[in-house]
Amino acid sequence: MSDSFSTASTLNVNGKQYRYYSLEKLAKSYGEVARLPFSLKVLLENLLRHEDGVDVSAEDIKALCKWDPQAQPSEEIAFTPARVVLQDFTGVPAIVDLAAMREAMKDLGGEASRINPLSPAELVIDHSVQVDSYGRADSLDLNNTIEFKRNKERYEFLKWGKKAFKNFAVVPPNTGIVHQVNLEHLARVVFDDDGVAYPDTLVGTDSHTTMINGLGVLGWGVGGIEAEAAMLGQAITMLIPQVVGFRLEGKLPEGSTATDLVLTVTQMLREHGVVGKFVEFFGDGLTQLPLADRATISNMSPEYGATCGIFPVDDESLRYMRLSGRSEERIELVEAYMRAQGMWREEGQKPAKYSAVLELELNSVQPSLAGPKRPQDRVLLVDAADNYAKHMKGLIKDREPTRKSEERFEGEGGGGTAVGYDEAVHAPSPLVKNGDKTFTLRDGAVVIAAITSCTNTSNPAVMLGAALLARNAVEKGLDVKPWVKTSLAPGSRVVTDYLKKAGLLDDLETLGFNLVGYGCTTCIGNSGPLSKPIEEAIEKHDLVAVSVLSGNRNFEGRIHPHVKMNYLASPPLVVAYALAGHMQVDLTEDPLGEDRDGKPVYLRDIWPSSHEIQDTIRNNVSSDMFQSSYSSVFEGDENWNSLNAPESEMFEWDEDSTYIRNPPYFEDMPADPTAVRDIRGARCLALLGDSITTDHISPAGSIAEESPAGAYLKSKGVKKAEFNSYGSRRGNHEVMMRGTFANVRLRNKLAPGTEGGWTRYQPDDVEMTIFDAAMKYQQEGVPLIVLAGKEYGTGSSRDWAAKGALLLGVKAVIAKSFERIHRSNLIGMGVLPLCFMDDEDAVSLELTGKETYSIEGVNDDSSEYVTVTATRGDGDERTFKAEVRIDTPKEWEYYRHGGILHYVLRQLAAS
């Protein structure tokens, strides 16, 4: 490696010497270095350490030193993360791809063992547990047993990968959520590698990888495709970003939580616009902000659209490292290194230079929710009932009023009306008998109340706050409504340790919030089935059911196929809404229920004080809990250890498997890439609107029996009860192709009046499933495009949203704008991302999607624009320009090779 600026130095910590690359020495040549944002200092050190004259040059380092906060990003640099983290939904297809690359490497005449992670890759199995059982003392064991039965083949494959690949570790199921495990255990903050000290950096295959930014570790979510390349030693190319500073001052007021804070921050940053930018938090308010609150804010970077949302390292960072059981040697190294590099935060210090600055007084934060279908759509708790009513009008506008029925039924109370009439919403209100309970189910009923997801189950303040609220509710004699499916899915085992020590787990369980698993459940769509009578009532009467969850994602069709409105809320509010049972309730004014004396009980009567919460944390959360939980983190339980996994360099594919299949990406791949060609004679597969999420494109949840994926599984002898989820079957391209654009809430304007994976095949104008139409087009040799609006591909870093599109035959996507990760994923699979020009879109250009499309000007010379011609059936042509969103020379290399994996494979084979 080179050291053009002579920055190699020595750091002494407690008698031990470390080599490092000094930003202080660099600042002698470039005085601007001291005022760079913390995040850019981390990138700058990364460049210094990896300078080789090829991927990283002295000019790259100079460009970052002279960073102009106001300049539009144009300078390309190569970022080499120290490690990669994966979760199983995205990790399984990543390891499948690596196994397939070993096959392809042999076909190209190379050594299969060259396909091997070069830096630490750590996978946490956390996305496969589903809430099948709930409200029972044995729900955790039952769900764990079902999980292993469903996913045995996937888990055996991961155990094979753990043995077959070097530098690859697996954290078994039933341990915790990847981001929480990363925060509490995996993160080094500062690496010590062969005597060289440097900042911990990473990329992860989950968009919420950014949660680790709360600990001062720079990292972000990428698609599995990019992560695989990073594991194989490829630097991640990026433009030097703008950095938005976010000043925090003051302290959160009584009654407001970290969840309320992050929803406020998310709304502010979405309105400002930070897609593709770094966000860095600063100000004296950080002194009052516990690390768990910082992690909550960092976690939701994808929701506000930023690449990262980072906090600098300070005394609070060290306090958390000590609490979470890190060694004193590590903690001392972190402090000494960060101080030496000018990366340490001191109260009152002069702020860095930023591209823009936003400010928030923490004492202005009010209790909030977000919804009913986007995390950035914050609504004050006091306005939640009105928000629900407003969105209800849109959902029921086409529903016919239901006449009151005089049918009688035999049930609790001796009888009643089978269907009532609600004049407020013109909706049926069926009486439902579920077990030994009979109740009326109305529009707006909260049928799922889930304490779930990394965002909030990482935070003792909101978890103990929810438990104290549950205790107070139980003491008042309140109970959860009988139609509410309740669940508690903590981010790690430490959570249940401190809930038990505080004597509060029993109170949550009394209200039905029994432990259901340690993993990402409801937020990812693993909410499990509702009780059959409730599902049948919702289906029969087209009811608008609601979920309230402490998650970070509430996109359409994600949480549960029978739930149309989803609200994000803090864990205490999740408990409160479970008690209320309905969204048409103002929790600031209306009672939650009655106490044992028949007196109304209000939320304010049972809400715990901040002082009580902090006292409970101080007395019950301790370092030994973390040390105990993580002492055997890679060992697993009896279920895991009883799995059989072969020991072999090559994986033995089973063509009959419905979980793990050899993907077709590398079939007949030539040693050299073919020339990039213009796209001619293409048809539009889908004409979509704004905010199409990766959930819309590639759902993670349940597989409908009547869907193309369901039909495929049935043809393979898989019973409906064993379908599992799309997320769990990401190792099988046949399932995932059929699941592409199959979200039950997707609305394709080519097939008006439909929801789900429907389109109209052209030129016959025949309605059929998107998958069937795509296969018909493929047989005819017709390339495909997708037309979309703003924020195409928002949400999770789901590489199958790009892989599935490619396998359906999509060659280009033309949108108003793209979310960062999905744009990168499309390029990574060789799909061309294009943007309409300003003030143009499919509507203004009068495109119906029924035209034939040609895209000209795509070549190897880094075209900035292409010409698109849409030809109608009568021969009339509409021609327009589109911007090519291949932003760096390295991305052009990936696209020219047909994708990033093809590029890496050819590079390795050639060397």
Side-chain angles (χ1 to χ4, degrees):
M1 292 295 175
S2 304
D3 185 14
S4 299
F5 302 92
S6 301
T7 60
S9 304
T10 301
L11 179 69
N12 292 294
V13 185
N14 281 341
K16 188 173 180 179
Q17 286 194 339
Y18 301 88
R19 289 181 293 120
Y20 77 108
Y21 291 83
S22 172
L23 298 184
E24 184 178 332
K25 285 187 176 180
L26 184 64
K28 292 177 181 178
S29 301
Y30 298 95
E32 300 96 331
V33 170
R35 293 291 303 282
L36 284 176
F38 170 80
S39 53
L40 295 191
K41 288 180 180 178
V42 176
L43 285 182
L44 185 55
E45 187 282 336
N46 198 276
L47 294 181
L48 288 172
R49 187 162 33 90
H50 290 97
E51 185 193 355
D52 59 0
V54 181
D55 288 330
V56 179
S57 68
E59 293 304 312
D60 297 332
I61 296 168
K62 290 178 184 178
L64 187 47
C65 287
K66 296 178 178 180
W67 174 71
D68 178 357
Q70 305 307 320
Q72 288 299 314
S74 61
E75 298 279 353
E76 181 186 14
I77 59 171
F79 168 58
T80 305
R83 59 191 177 96
V84 176
V85 294
L86 311 96
Q87 39 92 331
D88 53 308
F89 267 16
T90 50
V92 167
I95 304 305
V96 165
D97 287 350
L98 292 183
M101 288 178 77
R102 281 192 169 180
E103 301 272 358
M105 178 65 88
K106 282 185 66 176
D107 293 342
L108 290 174
E111 295 180 12
S113 60
R114 295 290 303 280
I115 304 298
N116 207 71
L118 298 180
S119 56
E122 295 150 332
L123 184 149
V124 180
I125 301 176
D126 69 339
H127 271 51
S128 297
V129 61
Q130 182 170 295
V131 188
D132 290 283
S133 174
Y134 68 98
R136 294 173 44 154
D138 59 351
S139 288
L140 175 65
D141 291 336
L142 288 171
N143 290 330
N144 195 31
T145 299
I146 295 169
E147 176 189 355
F148 270 88
K149 183 179 178 182
R150 280 193 183 122
N151 297 286
K152 180 174 181 288
E153 189 178 343
R154 298 170 67 238
Y155 292 172
E156 287 177 341
F157 172 71
L158 289 176
K159 284 194 78 170
W160 167 82
K162 182 179 179 181
K163 297 175 182 179
F165 295 108
K166 297 176 183 178
N167 289 324
F168 178 54
V170 177
V171 176
N174 205 26
T175 302
I177 293 174
V178 58
H179 314 303
Q180 184 72 358
V181 174
N182 193 17
L183 187 72
E184 293 179 353
H185 182 70
L186 298 177
R188 286 75 157 174
V189 188
V190 172
F191 260 86
D192 169 18
D193 187 7
D194 290 332
V196 179
Y198 55 91
D200 183 5
T201 56
L202 72 156
V203 291
T205 58
D206 190 290
S207 52
H208 294 104
T209 298
T210 52
M211 186 161 133
I212 203 61
N213 299 164
L215 192 54
V217 176
L218 182 62
W220 54 82
V222 296
I225 308 154
E226 276 186 292
E228 292 161 41
M231 283 190 277
L232 294 170
Q234 288 291 304
I236 291 175
T237 60
M238 58 186 292
L239 299 179
I240 299 174
Q242 291 189 335
V243 182
V244 173
F246 199 114
R247 186 195 305 270
L248 294 172
E249 299 289 348
K251 185 178 180 180
L252 282 175
E254 187 70 33
S256 291
T257 68
T259 312
D260 305 319
L261 171 58
V262 74
L263 294 179
T264 304
V265 169
T266 298
Q267 182 185 45
M268 290 176 65
L269 286 168
R270 268 291 175 187
E271 288 176 354
H272 178 77
V274 292
V275 173
K277 301 176 184 179
F278 285 10
V279 171
E280 188 166 307
F281 296 90
F282 71 102
D284 290 346
L286 269 61
T287 305
Q288 304 294 327
L289 207 61
L291 196 126
D293 289 8
R294 300 179 186 188
T296 301
I297 295 170
S298 294
N299 180 289
M300 289 189 75
S301 295
E303 280 66 48
Y304 44 83
T307 302
C308 69
I310 198 162
F311 290 78
V313 177
D314 60 7
D315 286 326
E316 173 60 17
S317 312
L318 301 188
R319 186 202 66 81
Y320 183 82
M321 290 184 72
R322 194 165 282 116
L323 172 67
S324 54
R326 266 71 169 206
S327 70
E328 283 302 317
E329 183 181 18
R330 174 74 57 188
I331 294 168
E332 289 168 2
L333 172 60
V334 168
E335 180 173 5
Y337 180 86
M338 291 295 171
R339 287 186 182 279
Q341 291 285 53
M343 296 179 182
W344 181 264
R345 186 192 79 87
E346 298 278 9
E347 192 165 4
Q349 72 185 49
K350 195 172 184 179
K353 298 185 296 182
Y354 294 111
S355 306
V357 173
L358 279 71
E359 298 187 16
L360 175 65
E361 288 288 339
L362 293 174
N363 60 12
S364 69
V365 173
Q366 300 180 58
S368 305
L369 298 88
K373 61 181 180 178
R374 295 195 311 176
Q376 63 262 40
D377 295 334
R378 184 175 70 100
V379 54
L380 294 177
L381 177 62
V382 69
D383 298 326
D386 291 339
N387 177 273
Y388 153 78
K390 181 183 75 173
H391 285 92
M392 268 296 301
K393 290 178 182 177
L395 290 172
I396 64 169
K397 66 181 189 316
D398 297 325
R399 187 165 67 191
E400 291 293 326
T402 305
R403 292 183 179 178
K404 186 173 180 179
S405 169
E406 297 303 328
E407 293 178 33
R408 309 294 291 181
F409 77 104
E410 295 300 324
E412 195 175 69
T417 306
V419 177
Y421 185 77
D422 188 331
E423 293 183 354
V425 292
H426 295 258
S429 300
L431 277 164
V432 177
K433 184 170 173 47
N434 185 36
D436 61 352
K437 299 289 180 67
T438 302
F439 47 82
T440 300
L441 197 66
R442 297 186 292 134
D443 281 326
V446 175
V447 296
I448 292 175
I451 300 176
T452 181
S453 172
C454 44
T455 308
N456 288 295
T457 58
S458 69
N459 194 324
V462 291
M463 293 301 289
L464 287 169
L468 288 167
L469 187 142
R471 180 202 63 188
N472 297 341
V474 170
E475 288 175 352
K476 293 283 188 181
L478 298 180
D479 201 0
V480 167
K481 296 297 185 287
W483 53 82
V484 184
K485 180 174 184 175
T486 48
S487 59
L488 170 65
S492 80
R493 290 182 169 272
V494 176
V495 177
T496 41
D497 286 344
Y498 61 66
L499 286 173
K500 286 177 181 177
K501 185 178 179 183
L504 295 171
L505 186 59
D506 290 345
D507 295 302
L508 283 166
E509 291 174 343
T510 299
L511 294 182
F513 286 93
N514 295 74
L515 186 63
V516 298
Y518 295 97
C520 188
T521 54
T522 304
C523 191
I524 192 62
N526 287 355
S527 53
L530 301 175
S531 296
K532 192 171 182 180
I534 293 176
E535 284 197 355
E536 289 176 347
I538 292 171
E539 281 188 353
K540 181 177 180 181
H541 301 287
D542 192 26
L543 295 177
V544 177
V546 179
S547 75
V548 179
L549 62 150
S550 65
N552 41 37
R553 292 277 163 82
N554 57 341
F555 301 129
E556 287 183 303
R558 179 183 177 105
I559 305 303
H560 193 283
H562 288 90
V563 178
K564 292 183 179 179
M565 299 175 78
N566 305 287
Y567 285 90
L568 306 182
S570 66
L573 285 181
V574 170
V575 176
Y577 273 104
L579 296 169
H582 203 279
M583 279 306 300
Q584 203 168 12
V585 175
D586 179 358
L587 294 190
T588 65
E589 295 291 340
D590 299 331
L592 295 170
E594 296 180 346
D595 65 14
R596 293 183 179 88
D597 298 325
K599 296 179 180 178
V601 178
Y602 297 88
L603 181 60
R604 57 183 175 268
D605 299 329
I606 61 172
W607 192 273
S609 70
S610 298
H611 179 74
E612 184 179 15
I613 292 171
Q614 292 307 315
D615 273 354
T616 308
I617 292 173
R618 256 188 312 273
N619 295 329
N620 297 284
V621 183
S622 58
S623 179
D624 61 296
M625 293 178 175
F626 292 87
Q627 292 171 349
S628 174
S629 287
Y630 289 107
S631 61
S632 56
V633 67
F634 296 108
E635 293 179 10
D637 59 15
E638 184 181 347
N639 288 311
W640 175 258
N641 292 318
S642 65
L643 293 173
N644 293 317
E647 294 191 30
S648 57
E649 182 178 74
M650 311 295 289
F651 184 71
E652 297 180 9
W653 306 99
D654 179 1
E655 290 301 310
D656 293 326
S657 172
T658 58
Y659 276 105
I660 308 294
R661 293 285 301 277
N662 190 354
Y665 314 129
F666 310 112
E667 288 179 1
D668 303 321
M669 188 185 92
D672 297 307
T674 56
V676 174
R677 295 185 176 88
D678 290 341
I679 300 168
R680 301 182 183 278
R683 288 290 184 176
C684 179
L685 185 63
L687 174 60
L688 306 170
D690 294 339
S691 297
I692 296 299
T693 71
T694 50
D695 279 283
H696 285 118
I697 306 167
S698 182
S702 59
I703 300 171
E705 187 172 9
E706 66 278 5
S707 68
Y712 167 80
L713 290 173
K714 285 194 294 185
S715 74
K716 294 293 184 179
V718 180
K719 298 176 182 177
K720 173 67 174 73
E722 298 170 354
F723 276 9
N724 212 332
S725 65
Y726 282 112
S728 66
R729 292 192 181 272
R730 284 182 183 163
N732 185 329
H733 61 277
E734 296 288 356
V735 172
M736 299 310 294
M737 286 170 61
R738 290 163 172 80
T740 303
F741 296 112
N743 185 297
V744 294
R745 297 287 174 253
L746 182 77
R747 286 175 284 277
N748 182 2
K749 296 177 184 177
L750 258 176
T754 66
E755 276 192 327
W758 295 94
T759 191
R760 297 192 75 85
Y761 166 78
Q762 305 300 326
D764 299 350
D765 202 30
V766 175
E767 188 172 282
M768 60 180 68
T769 68
I770 282 178
F771 174 76
D772 288 339
M775 294 303 99
K776 195 170 175 62
Y777 284 128
Q778 276 194 23
Q779 290 171 4
E780 297 165 353
V782 176
L784 301 173
I785 67 166
V786 171
L787 299 173
K790 300 175 184 175
E791 298 178 346
Y792 183 77
T794 189
S796 300
S797 56
R798 194 159 297 168
D799 52 330
W800 261 110
K803 288 178 175 178
L806 172 76
L807 294 181
L808 290 184
V810 175
K811 301 298 183 184
V813 177
I814 312 176
K816 282 289 291 181
S817 64
F818 292 91
E819 284 287 273
R820 174 186 62 85
I821 297 175
H822 187 61
R823 182 197 67 83
S824 177
N825 278 342
L826 289 172
I827 296 166
M829 292 309 299
V831 178
L832 182 65
L834 302 172
C835 275
F836 289 106
M837 304 300 288
D838 290 344
D839 302 324
E840 289 187 344
D841 57 19
V843 175
S844 67
L845 293 168
E846 298 180 341
L847 303 177
T848 66
K850 297 180 180 181
E851 303 87 355
T852 302
Y853 293 83
S854 293
I855 302 173
E856 298 179 344
V858 185
N859 54 47
D860 291 15
D861 299 323
S862 304
S863 304
E864 291 185 24
Y865 301 97
V866 293
T867 300
V868 183
T869 301
T871 305
R872 297 191 175 100
D874 61 4
D876 184 42
E877 292 185 350
R878 176 61 54 93
T879 299
F880 57 95
K881 284 197 173 298
E883 181 186 8
V884 178
R885 284 304 316 278
I886 300 178
D887 295 347
T888 70
K890 183 65 77 172
E891 286 182 347
W892 270 105
E893 279 287 287
Y894 296 155
Y895 180 70
R896 188 169 67 85
H897 278 262
I900 190 171
L901 299 183
H902 299 77
Y903 171 83
V904 173
L905 190 57
R906 289 187 177 111
Q907 297 298 306
L908 290 172
S911 64

